[in-house]
Amino acid sequence: MSIYLFFSGQARSALNFYAEVLGGEVEHVLTYADMPEPPPLPREKHHWLMHGQMTSSYAEIMVSDRDGPEAAVDYMGFAIEIDDEDPGTAHHLFLRLSDRGEVILPFAPNFWAQGFGTCRDRFGVPWMINCDR
């Protein structure tokens, strides 16, 4: 399964952030300026990402920047969930993803998991980090 996220000028920063936090590699980066046809964006936005992709052991995440009415991104009604077997690693992922974001439920042990927490990262993307082994 792959995750595709849309941004409004922050796709490159988000892609690099996810690669760093999740231990992934950025594999593809195409800007609107790379298009063979004239880009559908004003010249000052041609550096925005038309498509970017990173892969880690946790997930494949793809990103793109949008403009105009499509740029109204509201990440509601879902969360990206990551499981890790090690409580320390899971807690570290939670701390990194929530840094400069919003902690919704602090990472802590509960009745089903050695650790679980929810947050929104600095780009507004919701995450659930779980360690139930």
Side-chain angles (χ1 to χ4, degrees), residues 48-98:
W48 282 13
L49 293 190
M50 179 187 76
H51 175 78
Q53 177 181 337
M54 85 93 213
T55 302
S56 77
S57 61
Y58 294 108
E60 176 182 63
I61 298 177
M62 294 178 280
V63 299
S64 183
D65 284 313
R66 300 287 187 221
D67 197 22
E70 293 180 337
V73 177
D74 190 8
Y75 293 115
M76 300 296 294
F78 80 97
I80 300 171
E81 196 264 348
I82 291 182
D83 281 303
D84 196 283
E85 294 179 2
D86 179 65
T89 302
H91 187 233
H92 180 73
L93 285 171
F94 178 81
L95 292 174
R96 295 289 311 278
L97 287 166
S98 63

Side-chain angles (χ1 to χ4, degrees), residues 35-51:
M35 294 179 72
E37 309 263 332
L41 296 175
R43 180 172 286 297
E44 66 271 9
K45 296 180 180 177
H46 286 189
H47 68 282
W48 282 13
L49 293 190
M50 179 187 76
H51 175 78

Side-chain angles (χ1 to χ4, degrees), residues 3 5 7 10-26 54-56 58-59 61-63 75 80 93 96-97 120-127:
I3 300 159
L5 300 170
F7 300 92
Q10 297 179 302
R12 184 182 305 271
S13 295
L15 185 67
N16 290 332
F17 176 70
Y18 299 140
E20 180 185 326
V21 170
L22 301 176
E25 293 290 325
V26 174
M54 85 93 213
T55 302
S56 77
Y58 294 108
I61 298 177
M62 294 178 280
V63 299
Y75 293 115
I80 300 171
L93 285 171
R96 295 289 311 278
L97 287 166
R120 285 190 176 277
D121 68 28
R122 62 186 74 172
F123 303 101
V125 176
W127 295 85

Side-chain angles (χ1 to χ4, degrees), residues 96-132:
R96 295 289 311 278
L97 287 166
S98 63
D99 181 40
R100 294 185 7 218
E102 174 189 7
V103 172
I104 298 165
L105 178 66
F107 188 87
N110 60 38
F111 70 93
W112 79 82
Q114 294 181 53
F116 178 81
T118 62
C119 65
R120 285 190 176 277
D121 68 28
R122 62 186 74 172
F123 303 101
V125 176
W127 295 85
M128 295 169 37
I129 308 301
N130 190 58
C131 177
D132 62 357

